[in-house]
Amino acid sequence: MIRKIVYFFGQILFFPHLILFLFSSNKELVIDDLYSRNTRQTSFATVSYDLTFKLLISKYFRTLFYFRTTSVFAKILRFFYPKHQSFTIDINTKIDGGLHLAHPYSTILNAASIGKNVYVNHLVTVGEKDGKKPIIGNNVELHAGCIVIGGITIGDNAIIGAGSVVVKDVPTNSIAVGNPARIIESKKC
């Protein structure tokens, strides 16, 4: 019971974020992120409650929220409600909705684009090499400690195993593991 009371008053502190959300041009993307692994809600009251709760308990989600809602007001709110210091998203990265952040401690996302419903675990590095950035498809899973660098493409529904170093394209519906990464399974759909 005490925890619920603390959460309730904590969520009240995040009401300014609701104003930021309401005036954002990326409302749908924020909602997709909020319900990335759950049933999407449509009621404003439910979305407001879930959003303030997620912003309260997850600095990782807060970092993604600030990425989606760039404005002067967002920069002011970041001063009082900081984002996570070890989770970085490059401002030029295009990220589609439904990004699922398992616990992206020490994670860097610096891609040309990231598709819908992508799963990101901790210690993941997606970065550029020689000025070229990766393209990550839809429904991709990036597991703990994997590195994806350079002007490569990770196809839809691909899984990148923990600790893998990917420097070549990964086809759609494939599983890549190892250093350097190799395809161990490719599913036909």
Side-chain angles (χ1 to χ4, degrees):
M1 182 65 173
I2 293 175
R3 181 182 291 191
K4 286 183 180 182
I5 293 170
V6 169
Y7 282 158
F8 173 76
F9 285 110
Q11 286 178 262
I12 290 173
L13 295 174
F14 282 90
F15 276 3
H17 290 77
L18 284 178
I19 296 167
L20 183 60
F21 168 72
L22 289 173
F23 289 102
S24 171
S25 60
N26 290 325
K27 277 195 257 341
E28 291 302 313
L29 293 175
V30 171
I31 293 171
D32 286 346
D33 295 336
L34 182 61
Y35 298 109
S36 64
R37 295 289 192 237
N38 298 314
T39 304
R40 185 182 169 115
Q41 302 296 314
T42 55
S43 158
F44 177 73
T46 304
V47 170
S48 298
Y49 177 84
D50 292 344
L51 180 63
T52 55
F53 183 74
K54 188 79 167 201
L55 288 166
L56 172 67
I57 65 168
S58 175
K59 281 189 176 181
Y60 301 123
F61 181 79
R62 202 178 309 159
T63 301
L64 180 59
F65 178 80
Y66 290 142
F67 173 79
R68 300 277 194 211
T69 56
T70 56
S71 70
V72 173
F73 188 45
K75 291 181 187 339
I76 293 168
L77 287 176
R78 281 196 328 221
F79 180 75
F80 296 103
Y81 309 96
K83 57 186 185 172
H84 200 281
Q85 296 299 319
S86 73
F87 175 47
T88 305
I89 305 173
D90 182 75
I91 60 170
N92 296 313
T93 300
K94 292 174 179 60
I95 303 176
D96 220 336
L99 184 65
H100 179 71
L101 305 170
H103 50 92
Y105 174 79
S106 289
T107 292
I108 299 169
L109 299 179
N110 183 13
S113 66
I114 297 175
K116 290 182 82 63
N117 304 317
V118 172
Y119 168 90
V120 178
N121 212 311
H122 62 281
L123 301 170
V124 169
T125 300
V126 177
E128 68 179 271
K129 180 180 178 189
D130 300 327
K132 296 178 182 174
K133 299 179 180 183
I135 297 171
I136 311 292
N138 298 322
N139 305 308
V140 171
E141 294 181 18
L142 302 172
H143 289 274
C146 75
I147 298 171
V148 179
I149 57 173
I152 63 173
T153 300
I154 307 297
D156 293 345
N157 307 309
I159 298 172
I160 309 301
S164 299
V165 177
V166 184
V167 293
K168 294 181 181 176
D169 290 351
V170 175
T172 298
N173 301 317
S174 297
I175 300 172
V177 297
N179 180 4
R182 65 191 187 289
I183 307 304
I184 61 166
E185 187 175 334
S186 197
K187 300 175 186 172
K188 304 271 187 206
C189 288

